[in-house]
Amino acid sequence: MVALCSYETTKLVRIHSVRLGSLKWTLNATVLLFICLVMLWNRKYQQFDQVVSSVTAKVKGVAHMQLPGEGGVIWDEADYSGFLQDKNSFFVVTNIIMTKSQKQGRCPEPPSSGRRCQHHSDCERGAWDQRSHGIQTGSCVKFDALARTCEVVGWCPVEAKNKPPRPALLASAEKFTVLIKNNIRFPAFNFIRRNILPEMTESYLRKCRRANDSLCPIFMLGDVVNRAGENFSTMAVEGGVIGIQIKWDCDLDHLTRRCLPAYSFRRLDQKESNKTLSPGFNFRFAKYRTVDGVEERTLYKAFGIRFDIMVFGQAGKFSFIQLIIYIGSTLSYYALTTILLDWLIGTSCYVAEEGQNYSERKVESIPDKKECILCVSYVDEDDIRLVKMSRKKRLQDAKSIGVQARREDIGHMTATLCLLTEPRSFPATFSQPCSSPPPSWCKCGGCSASPIPQEELCCRRGSEGPCVASSALFHKLSLQRTLLEALILYREPFTPTPPDGAALRRCAYRQYVAWRLGEPPADCRPAIPRCCVTRIREAFPSPGGRYGAFALAKHAAT
């Protein structure tokens, strides 16, 4: 029931800093500017629809060419472009190989495509392969004075040439023109348009050319090939495939309405003949006639350029839903400001003391109950060491997991100085009490042995020297009874006087911690050297001679 009636929220820390505040708003303004630029550039506030299109093409031009054995011949669009009229593409013949007066009968295969032979047994009756011009009769006949080949039944004489003429016979097709009619529709917006714009009149179409008008739908074939990065005369020999790309990028908003085609060109096939087994583009067709009751034909192997027209694009129109979605998806970019500022606060790029203060206020660490981190101060070092407590290894030999600068406990030390009366003068140092030889881990000579490893800690870490418990300041702060009683009353005004030994010992421990450790790091517990604990217990002994062991309390011993 308690969980149902409770509410949890995020804790915020407000840092009053001109530098951080200025940096925060600068970064926020930069992120906002970036988001707005991306929104305007990519039109993220719009709903988009893909284009649906249809294309037709009409080629115009007349060419005069010299055919071997025929002389001059005139070809118009019905001759060079009446074939392979496919959807979204058109074809223009640029070169041909012609084989005249073919009749069905028997004839030898050319050596380049047929099987050479010496005897009839070398020819297989009824055999055929993809390079044959007919079906073998099983006879080996003479082709010319040097070669004999297998005889076939087919259209004779067979096609002998396989290399196209150079230069191309219809190289003049470079000056042919093509009218491309492209109708598009965006179903989501019920928007229809074509590349022949409403303002384009019949007289305009007669005169416009792509070279001086980027919207003109009439193209010269040579210009198309050149814009694709090719040479028309070279390409016309073996043919090829050219792609004409029409891109529609439409903005249908009233204030920024724009919907015009953009044309681009590229070659789609492999142009290097030595890199492909079948270069260019070609096909065969025949023209038939009857002479004296016998059917004859003229075979044409046509080389040419196929033009594939590819239409793609999109249209966008303002959508409040898309705008809200975009704003919601970009709000996460503002988290970059928080991440960067937190990183600056936690690194050396910022003042160390201020950064540590901010970090401690922002993050509340909860240590593992099974793990205790102790902070230790040595008289021969300036910093505080963080050590994991081990129940088997002595504290003096434990390896530190971190080092931090000591932070003064200003409030406690100020109260101590205010309550400190002028006592009788103390010597600079006090002699160590007589005791048994110090244990091996002791560096100051004032520590006593302990059966508990957690209490085996000396006031010095590396070098041997005087014990901190022998200093006059230790006696003033931790052993002066009048000061300790005043401090106890300062903290707890209704404490019975005189306080007992346990209260005095606890106050003496607090005095040592405030003096040597200052304000211990968060989630760390101070550890007091064995020599100091011994002197405090000797000054304020327990009546029964019994003391608490090393405790996981705010102060390390009782």
Side-chain angles (χ1 to χ4, degrees):
M1 188 64 182
V2 175
L4 294 175
C5 299
S6 62
Y7 172 74
E8 296 178 357
T9 185
T10 305
K11 177 183 178 181
L12 299 177
V13 177
R14 180 177 287 116
I15 301 175
H16 295 282
S17 172
V18 176
R19 286 180 296 175
L20 291 178
S22 302
L23 182 59
K24 167 196 168 184
W25 288 111
T26 301
L27 293 175
N28 284 344
T30 303
V31 171
L32 178 62
L33 179 62
F34 172 77
I35 292 174
C36 293
L37 289 177
V38 172
M39 180 181 68
L40 295 176
W41 180 263
N42 294 327
R43 309 205 309 265
K44 294 293 186 179
Y45 54 87
Q46 292 183 333
Q47 175 187 354
F48 291 96
D49 188 26
Q50 299 300 314
V51 67
V52 177
S53 81
S54 65
V55 175
T56 58
K58 183 182 293 186
V59 182
K60 292 289 186 178
V62 179
H64 177 269
M65 66 176 177
Q66 294 289 335
L67 288 176
E70 290 285 324
V73 178
I74 299 297
W75 275 35
D76 59 14
E77 56 267 18
D79 297 311
Y80 59 73
S81 188
F83 322 99
L84 299 183
Q85 286 293 340
D86 212 351
K87 181 180 179 182
N88 296 343
S89 70
F90 62 94
F91 179 81
V92 175
V93 177
T94 58
N95 207 1
I96 60 173
I97 296 176
M98 184 177 67
T99 306
K100 295 179 57 179
S101 303
Q102 284 188 325
K103 302 176 182 179
Q104 292 204 10
R106 294 170 176 256
C107 53
E109 282 268 35
S112 59
S113 58
R115 178 183 295 180
R116 293 176 181 268
C117 63
Q118 295 296 329
H119 307 284
H120 294 310
S121 60
D122 296 333
C123 299
E124 181 183 356
R125 182 180 180 86
W128 173 88
D129 61 38
Q130 61 180 1
R131 300 185 62 186
S132 299
H133 294 84
I135 299 175
Q136 293 185 19
T137 62
S139 300
C140 181
V141 297
K142 185 177 179 180
F143 180 78
D144 54 25
L146 300 177
R148 294 173 62 87
T149 60
C150 293
E151 185 184 54
V152 296
V153 176
W155 287 93
C156 299
V158 298
E159 183 182 74
K161 295 179 63 176
N162 56 11
K163 295 292 184 181
R166 292 179 182 270
L169 298 179
L170 269 80
S172 59
E174 182 177 7
K175 298 186 181 300
F176 293 173
T177 61
V178 57
L179 170 63
I180 298 177
K181 294 184 286 186
N182 176 210
N183 296 276
I184 65 165
R185 181 171 180 263
F186 296 103
F189 310 123
N190 196 25
F191 181 84
I192 299 174
R193 173 153 289 197
R194 64 176 185 163
N195 64 330
I196 301 178
L197 304 178
E199 60 269 18
M200 294 181 178
T201 62
E202 184 177 355
S203 60
Y204 167 84
L205 294 178
R206 290 176 180 174
K207 299 177 181 179
C208 79
R209 288 296 179 269
R210 173 70 183 176
N212 50 24
D213 188 348
S214 61
L215 296 177
C216 180
I218 299 178
F219 302 86
M220 187 177 293
L221 299 186
D223 184 51
V224 171
V225 174
N226 292 336
R227 287 178 179 271
E230 302 295 330
N231 181 273
F232 189 91
S233 299
T234 302
M235 191 174 183
V237 174
E238 294 181 326
V241 182
I242 294 291
I244 302 176
Q245 298 173 327
I246 306 177
K247 180 180 180 181
W248 295 85
D249 187 8
C250 298
D251 186 350
L252 302 184
D253 291 334
H254 293 291
L255 297 178
T256 58
R257 181 177 290 269
R258 185 191 74 256
C259 192
L260 298 174
Y263 301 92
S264 60
F265 314 92
R266 60 177 300 180
R267 184 165 184 170
L268 302 179
D269 67 315
Q270 177 61 268
K271 65 180 181 179
E272 290 84 359
S273 299
N274 59 347
K275 292 186 178 181
T276 176
L277 296 176
S278 181
F281 187 87
N282 62 79
F283 69 99
R284 290 176 174 83
F285 68 96
K287 293 183 178 180
Y288 296 86
R289 65 181 181 275
T290 301
V291 178
D292 298 332
V294 178
E295 185 180 36
E296 295 184 358
R297 76 177 187 181
T298 300
L299 178 66
Y300 296 89
K301 182 178 181 180
F303 298 83
I305 303 175
R306 192 182 77 187
F307 296 87
D308 291 340
I309 305 172
M310 297 166 285
V311 183
F312 57 96
Q314 63 179 4
K317 196 171 185 179
F318 177 79
S319 170
F320 184 74
I321 295 177
Q322 292 298 323
L323 178 62
I324 295 300
I325 292 175
Y326 176 75
I327 293 175
S329 64
T330 55
L331 289 178
S332 59
Y333 287 111
Y334 285 100
L336 297 174
T337 300
T338 303
I339 293 173
L340 180 59
L341 292 179
D342 288 347
W343 177 79
L344 289 176
I345 291 173
T347 60
S348 58
C349 297
Y350 207 75
V351 180
E353 295 183 358
E354 295 183 8
Q356 184 178 359
N357 182 33
Y358 296 156
S359 298
E360 290 180 355
R361 292 177 180 271
K362 180 178 177 60
V363 180
E364 181 179 356
S365 300
I366 301 177
D368 190 349
K369 293 182 179 180
K370 297 182 180 180
E371 183 178 68
C372 179
I373 305 299
L374 305 177
C375 55
V376 180
S377 174
Y378 296 100
V379 72
D380 52 351
E381 292 184 351
D382 294 331
D383 296 326
I384 295 175
R385 291 181 176 269
L386 304 182
V387 180
K388 286 185 179 181
M389 191 192 73
S390 173
R391 299 188 180 275
K392 297 181 180 180
K393 190 175 182 180
R394 65 170 61 104
L395 188 56
Q396 180 70 18
D397 299 333
K399 187 177 180 181
S400 60
I401 61 174
V403 178
Q404 292 190 8
R406 187 168 68 91
R407 298 171 57 193
E408 296 287 352
D409 188 350
I410 303 299
H412 187 80
M413 293 306 296
T414 300
T416 300
L417 294 175
C418 292
L419 295 175
L420 186 61
T421 58
E422 195 67 31
R424 68 182 190 279
S425 60
F426 285 85
T429 59
F430 286 80
S431 59
Q432 295 290 353
C434 296
S435 62
S436 58
S440 59
W441 49 266
C442 177
K443 304 293 184 180
C444 67
C447 300
S448 59
S450 174
I452 304 175
Q454 300 93 301
E455 294 184 355
E456 294 181 344
L457 175 67
C458 183
C459 65
R460 306 186 71 88
R461 176 170 177 80
S463 60
E464 295 183 357
C467 179
V468 70
S470 64
S471 66
L473 188 56
F474 176 80
H475 281 258
K476 286 185 178 182
L477 295 176
S478 299
L479 300 183
Q480 186 176 333
R481 190 182 190 94
T482 55
L483 174 62
L484 298 179
E485 290 178 352
L487 285 172
I488 292 173
L489 290 175
Y490 177 80
R491 293 172 61 90
E492 302 173 7
F494 298 104
T495 300
T497 54
D500 58 11
L504 292 171
R505 286 195 302 275
R506 286 194 295 270
C507 186
Y509 296 145
R510 282 196 297 268
Q511 285 293 90
Y512 178 83
V513 170
W515 172 40
R516 295 302 306 163
L517 295 172
E519 293 185 6
D523 304 319
C524 293
R525 300 179 182 181
I528 302 175
R530 182 66 178 173
C531 51
C532 298
V533 173
T534 301
R535 296 301 295 273
I536 292 173
R537 288 178 178 177
E538 290 175 353
F540 310 107
S542 174
R546 300 182 62 182
Y547 302 94
F550 191 91
L552 301 181
K554 174 66 177 174
H555 300 297
T558 59

